[in-house]
Each structure stands twice: as structure tokens, then as C-alpha cells.
Amino acid sequence: MKMYDKQLCSHQLAGLPASIKGGSRGRELSLAAGGSSWPGALHFKPRKMPGFFFSHNNMTELNGKEDCKLAKGKVHKKKQKAFGADFKSYLKCMVPHIESGIKTSSSRNVMLSAEEVIQWSQSLEKLLASQSGQGVFREFLKSEFSEENIEFWLACEDYKKTKFDHLHGKAERIYEEFVQSDAIKQINIDYQMREATAKKAQDPTHTSFDEAQKTVYILMERDSYPRFLKSKSYLNLLNQLQTNTSK
């Protein structure tokens, strides 16, 4: 069948219903194909609509192109997901893994070196000076059900950096969480120190928790820290990093 020019002359448009004149191309095609779902829609045969007709084969071709675009879009999304998974695997290969069950406190992978991990064994101070060390030691303390000690110590470190206007609120939270007798994460300090810390927290200064923090630090240094250095968790991590370095 002969294809007509798609441009309509003004005298041809004059005889068409307004719904067709102002309609979108998609509606015009639907009307021309005779498959409109509009109530009362008019169906036109090719001879009555010169220059406005698309054959069934052309419509099939158009629909095929649209289906092809959708299929390509789905394939593209699958490729993007596959690439994302591959990229994550690549990043994991670039960062030394801690396969002994230890994770850092941050959800981000942290590049560790054997030299840094060896420094942790020099003193508890060196261990806690490292953000990665804090995370690894914290996981070890969790295995011993004593993570409240490092959490309290870290909370005190943050408290010391607090602006004076916010001291009262932070002091109250630290006291309720770690110090008071029925605290959820009660630290191991004696009654006298608990009472003295409670009084200081009522009229807080930047040194309100210094004595309690020092006591907890000594407890970790004498008790948990030596066991940490002898633990399989620490030794396996160190051996793994040394092996990776020698490769």
C-alpha cells in the first residue's frame, strides 16, 4: 500500500474531530490503527485519512523498537549490577581482610599494616591512639563481655572536647549509661568513686569523669590488654598482615 505524507494540509485537518487534531502522536496512531480504548473513538480506514495512516506492519515495527529499547534497558541495568558486584570484590581484594572474626568499629574498610599492628603491642596508649586499634580491641572486649570499659573511655575522650554549653547534657548521658548503680553499661568502679562522680556530673566541668576514666584505663591496661596481645585474634591478624607484606 502506498504510504502518504505525514503532514496534513489545513483543509484535511478541518474535517477531523478536535480530539484528533489536538491529540498526541500516540493517540493519533492508536486511532489510525483502530485499536483505541477511548469510549466512542472513531475508526478510520486508510482511504478516509490520507497522509495520516500507518499500516499494521509499521505499527508492529514501532512496537518492536520500543520493546527492543526496554529489553536493552533491562540488560543495561543487569550489567550495572554485575559491574557493581565486581567492583566491590575488587575493593575487598585491595584491602587486607581480618578473617579471625575481628572487625573495625567503622563500617568502612581500613588499610592496616603489620608495622601499625606491632605498635599496638608497645602500650595500651599506642593501641587506643589508633582508630583501627580501638575497633579491634573493642571487638575483643565484646568477646569477654567487657566492652563497656572502652566505650566509657571513648565517651570521656569525646566529653573533654565538648563545648561548655553542652557539658551538662553529655555529663548526664554518660552518668546514666555508665556510672549510676543500675546503668545499662555499668563500669567497674567502687562505691566511693561512683558517688564522687555522680556529684561532679551534677555540676559538670571538663574534668568531671577524669578519675573514673583513669580507673577504667588502668583496669584495661592490667587485665584485658595483656590477654588481647596473647589472643588468637590479635596474633592471627598480625601473622596475616606480615604474610601479605612478604608477598
Side-chain angles (χ1 to χ4, degrees), residues 54-244:
F54 282 80
S55 68
H56 177 72
N57 291 337
N58 289 337
M59 287 295 296
T60 303
E61 182 180 354
L62 287 173
N63 291 334
K65 289 180 180 179
E66 291 299 321
D67 292 340
C68 183
K69 289 180 181 179
L70 290 174
K72 287 181 179 179
K74 291 180 180 179
V75 172
H76 180 65
K77 289 181 179 179
K78 289 182 179 179
K79 287 182 178 180
Q80 286 181 328
K81 290 181 179 179
F83 172 78
D86 292 340
F87 186 66
K88 288 180 180 178
S89 299
Y90 169 77
L91 289 178
K92 289 180 180 180
C93 292
M94 296 300 291
V95 179
H97 292 289
I98 303 175
E99 298 177 343
S100 56
I102 301 176
K103 298 179 181 178
T104 61
S105 59
S106 172
S107 60
R108 298 171 297 177
N109 289 322
V110 179
M111 182 68 73
L112 291 174
S113 65
E115 291 76 15
E116 180 181 358
V117 175
I118 290 174
Q119 288 180 359
W120 297 352
S121 65
Q122 295 177 5
S123 66
L124 179 60
E125 182 180 1
K126 288 283 184 70
L127 174 63
L128 296 180
S130 165
Q131 185 175 0
S132 299
Q134 292 175 10
V136 174
F137 187 50
R138 184 174 186 171
E139 291 300 320
F140 172 76
L141 292 179
K142 281 184 179 180
S143 70
E144 294 197 334
F145 305 99
S146 59
E147 68 270 20
E148 70 277 356
N149 291 326
I150 190 171
E151 289 180 8
F152 172 71
W153 186 87
L154 291 172
C156 291
E157 289 296 292
D158 177 69
Y159 175 80
K160 294 174 184 178
K161 303 172 185 176
T162 304
K163 293 182 179 180
F164 186 81
D165 294 343
H166 299 147
L167 280 181
H168 192 276
K170 277 196 175 182
E172 183 177 358
R173 285 194 295 271
I174 292 174
Y175 173 76
E176 291 177 353
E177 186 173 2
F178 298 104
V179 180
Q180 66 182 11
S181 56
D182 58 347
I184 299 175
K185 301 178 180 180
Q186 186 186 78
I187 54 175
N188 187 13
I189 55 177
D190 59 34
Y191 175 80
Q192 288 79 9
M193 181 167 293
R194 197 177 306 278
E195 290 296 310
T197 304
K199 292 179 180 180
K200 292 177 182 179
Q202 292 177 0
D203 187 18
T205 65
H206 284 94
T207 60
S208 295
F209 297 98
D210 280 5
E211 290 300 318
Q213 184 187 24
K214 183 179 179 180
T215 300
V216 169
Y217 181 90
I218 293 174
L219 178 64
M220 291 191 294
E221 186 177 38
R222 293 178 178 177
D223 186 29
S224 304
Y225 177 63
R227 288 199 304 273
F228 168 72
L229 295 179
K230 296 177 183 179
S231 68
K232 289 183 178 179
S233 299
Y234 173 75
L235 295 176
N236 288 344
L237 172 61
L238 179 59
N239 290 335
Q240 181 186 352
L241 293 174
Q242 288 175 331
T243 301
N244 292 341

Side-chain angles (χ1 to χ4, degrees), residues 3-14:
M3 288 292 297
Y4 293 94
D5 184 17
K6 298 178 185 178
Q7 302 295 328
L8 293 178
C9 300
S10 58
H11 67 277
Q12 293 171 326
L13 286 172

Side-chain angles (χ1 to χ4, degrees), residues 14-74:
L16 294 178
S19 59
I20 299 177
K21 294 178 187 178
S24 65
R25 184 179 180 184
R27 293 177 180 174
E28 292 170 355
L29 294 179
S30 179
L31 285 172
S36 172
S37 59
W38 295 349
L42 299 178
H43 301 280
F44 295 92
K45 295 181 179 180
R47 64 177 180 276
K48 293 183 180 181
M49 295 186 65
F52 195 71
F53 175 74
F54 282 80
S55 68
H56 177 72
N57 291 337
N58 289 337
M59 287 295 296
T60 303
E61 182 180 354
L62 287 173
N63 291 334
K65 289 180 180 179
E66 291 299 321
D67 292 340
C68 183
K69 289 180 181 179
L70 290 174
K72 287 181 179 179
K74 291 180 180 179

